[in-house]
Amino acid sequence: MFNDGFMPLPASRSMASQGDPTNSASSNERPLEKKIDPVTLPTFEEIRGQDIWNNCAVRSVVSGILGGGLGVFMGLFLGALDNPLMQEQMTARQQFVYTAKQMGGRSLSSAKAFAIMGVIFSGVECVVEKARAKHDTTNTMVAGCVTGGALSAKGGPQAACLGCAGFAAFSVLIEKFLDRTD
């Protein structure tokens, strides 16, 4: 009897088939065969969906929207943590209104920053990936550098260079941490 170590044989069959050569049941049995599933081709809808997602403009817009959504939640959370400076002198209603304004301002500011970051990063990464015809950490590093440099360009060339290096290093670290295929 064939046993590949994954499925134990029943005690009655394993003892009888090993010790008794006259057992007719063991001579007619075939080893367990592993079933191979047939290859299925992707449907037209799946191919169309992949074609749409491989468009760099679509990727950028979706990343911008998702980044903006993340920024709203980050702004709401961080805005709620701000305490007013004159906390003792404010009534509960004044504190609530102040906190709500802080949360709204922070969430709008964070939403814009994260949306811009998502659009730039995903757009540059997609374009570089298509130009190089490779998916590796070099694409992430270039996209991080361009994103960091663009976001910090208002501070001058030194700030742009530091933003480029910092965002590129951070992007590569995140890519290595999240990429479990290697």
Side-chain angles (χ1 to χ4, degrees):
M1 185 75 191
F2 176 76
N3 185 3
D4 60 358
F6 289 45
M7 220 167 26
L9 294 174
S12 61
R13 287 178 52 193
S14 63
M15 293 299 175
S17 63
Q18 291 175 1
D20 186 13
T22 61
N23 188 354
S24 62
S26 66
S27 61
N28 293 337
E29 289 184 21
R30 296 175 58 198
L32 297 175
E33 295 180 13
K34 295 182 181 179
K35 185 177 178 182
I36 299 174
D37 292 331
V39 175
T40 57
L41 296 175
T43 63
F44 176 74
E45 291 83 13
E46 291 172 338
I47 293 172
R48 189 73 180 138
Q50 288 175 354
D51 287 344
I52 291 171
W53 185 247
N54 285 336
N55 185 344
C56 292
V58 171
R59 277 192 191 181
S60 295
V61 168
V62 170
S63 295
I65 292 169
L66 293 176
L70 176 68
V72 166
F73 288 115
M74 292 288 292
L76 288 174
F77 176 72
L78 295 176
L81 297 178
D82 282 344
N83 288 330
L85 296 175
M86 300 180 178
Q87 185 171 326
E88 298 85 24
Q89 299 170 355
M90 297 173 80
T91 65
R93 180 178 167 81
Q94 289 173 334
Q95 287 180 5
F96 179 77
V97 169
Y98 178 82
T99 303
K101 285 181 182 178
Q102 286 296 108
M103 290 171 61
R106 273 274 177 106
S107 53
L108 181 62
S109 172
S110 295
K112 286 188 335 189
F114 276 90
I116 291 169
M117 193 181 314
V119 167
I120 294 172
F121 185 86
S122 64
V124 170
E125 185 180 37
C126 183
V127 168
V128 170
E129 184 176 320
K130 288 195 183 282
R132 295 182 66 232
K134 276 184 168 180
H135 177 74
D136 58 2
T137 55
T138 303
N139 303 340
T140 305
M141 184 174 58
V142 170
C145 179
V146 170
T147 304
L151 292 177
S152 59
K154 288 182 183 177
Q158 185 178 6
C161 288
L162 287 174
C164 169
F167 210 96
F170 178 73
S171 299
V172 168
L173 285 174
I174 294 296
E175 177 81 15
K176 289 291 187 182
F177 178 73
L178 293 178
D179 191 20
R180 305 279 184 200
T181 58
D182 292 340

